Amino acid sequence: PEIFRFTDTAEAVGVNDGDKNYILRPEVIESYFILYRLTKDPKYRDWGWDAAQAIEKYSKAGPGRGYSGLRNVYSSAPVQDDVQQTFFLAETLKYLYLLFSADDLID
């Protein structure tokens, strides 16, 4: 909350340049997973799918090169930061997998 601003026309907008990056963090996807499991509302899977498609479109670094963070998520052609954080594989992709898995896979 410290780095975002809320206005009448925008919700959770990063103001400073350092607040506009995405380093492949898992928290939003993890939230979708937990909320889906608690409510069974398919909108959380829809949101997760949208996020997965955006990661694939903007963060994929190329064949055999993994995924990269982004310097400015507000850009229509964001520049990659050339870093794949370890938590991307360990957490972000894990929660995407669990979001679309059967409910009894992990309690």
Side-chain angles (χ1 to χ4, degrees):
E2 298 84 17
I3 63 171
F4 293 106
R5 302 296 175 259
F6 298 85
T7 69
D8 292 338
T9 58
E11 183 176 318
V13 175
V15 177
N16 302 313
D17 286 340
D19 303 339
K20 299 175 182 180
N21 62 342
Y22 171 59
I23 60 169
L24 306 169
R25 293 290 312 169
E27 286 81 7
V28 171
I29 307 296
E30 180 181 10
S31 297
Y32 295 162
F33 162 66
I34 292 168
L35 288 166
Y36 176 74
R37 288 284 180 94
L38 291 173
T39 68
K40 304 297 185 243
D41 188 329
K43 75 179 177 185
Y44 298 112
R45 280 187 166 172
D46 292 341
W47 293 355
W49 182 245
D50 290 345
Q53 288 181 309
I55 289 169
E56 185 71 12
K57 180 177 180 178
Y58 296 108
S59 292
K60 190 167 187 175
R65 295 185 54 221
Y67 292 81
S68 175
L70 304 172
R71 296 196 187 277
N72 183 350
V73 297
Y74 299 109
S75 171
S76 60
V79 174
Q80 295 180 342
D81 67 8
D82 199 29
V83 176
Q84 178 178 296
Q85 304 289 341
T86 57
F87 50 74
F88 175 68
L89 297 174
E91 297 178 66
T92 307
L93 293 183
K94 173 185 74 177
Y95 286 114
L96 277 171
Y97 174 77
L98 290 172
L99 177 61
F100 296 102
S101 68
D103 289 352
D104 63 353
L105 179 65
I106 291 181
D107 186 2

